[in-house]
Amino acid sequence: MKQDPTFSCHQDSAPRGGCGGRRKRREKMLDASDIRLLMLHFLAQNNAHGYELIKSIEELSKGEYSPSPGIIYPNLTLLEEMDAIRVVDAHATRKAYTLNAAGRTLLSEQHAHIQHLIGRLASLATLVNNRSLPDVDQAIYRMRTALNARLSQEDISPQALEKVIDALNVAAAKIAAS
């Protein structure tokens, strides 16, 4: 079976700028092709409605990421058009979907990438749990407060700025090596 280009596999999306360069927009957690693969993964386990797929993906991150209906439902339609899924009962009030042979093939071909996606969402939950530990939360607060106070000064010298950058790089290296 020929690979559909809408199922491009990548590691992460490129960061985007926003608001005239003043604020950076948060990078999208998953793109549409990632969402489709996760939907196929869950449909391989059980038939599901769109809402149930949203909840299944949300549970991977323990509530830290939830795809919007605006991404789920159009992708259900696309998967149906690709013959990867089908509606279980066309006369039901809520459409439940099941996996077709083409969907199973896509799952098989993309197994490693799906495992990577599942790992990313699971690590997000771990990150949030560890950041919420009181000592970690306080240390992050103190670092952010000190950094913002220093960088908000208009007359910061290039030497002072270099010291701030060096301190951040040293702290990052120590954290990475811990």
Side-chain angles (χ1 to χ4, degrees), residues 56-152:
S56 294
I57 294 170
E58 185 178 25
E59 285 175 16
L60 278 178
S61 69
K62 303 291 189 244
E64 293 304 315
Y65 173 75
S66 180
S68 71
I71 190 131
I72 292 294
Y73 290 101
N75 279 294
L76 282 170
T77 301
L78 179 60
L79 288 169
E80 195 174 4
E81 289 170 357
M82 293 169 55
D83 200 34
I85 64 172
R86 66 178 169 77
V87 175
V88 176
D89 180 2
H91 301 294
T93 307
R94 292 174 58 197
K95 290 184 185 177
Y97 295 88
T98 191
L99 205 59
N100 283 344
R104 288 190 215 312
T105 301
L106 285 168
L107 275 177
S108 172
E109 292 170 354
Q110 300 295 329
H111 179 76
H113 187 64
I114 293 167
Q115 294 309 307
H116 168 76
L117 296 172
I118 290 169
R120 270 179 69 192
L121 289 173
S123 70
L124 181 61
T126 302
L127 170 68
V128 171
N129 285 341
N130 287 335
R131 273 189 179 168
S132 67
L133 295 170
D135 290 343
V136 173
D137 187 48
Q138 276 301 110
I140 291 170
Y141 175 78
R142 284 191 303 274
M143 176 64 82
R144 185 175 47 244
T145 302
L147 185 60
N148 289 342
R150 189 65 178 117
L151 293 178
S152 67

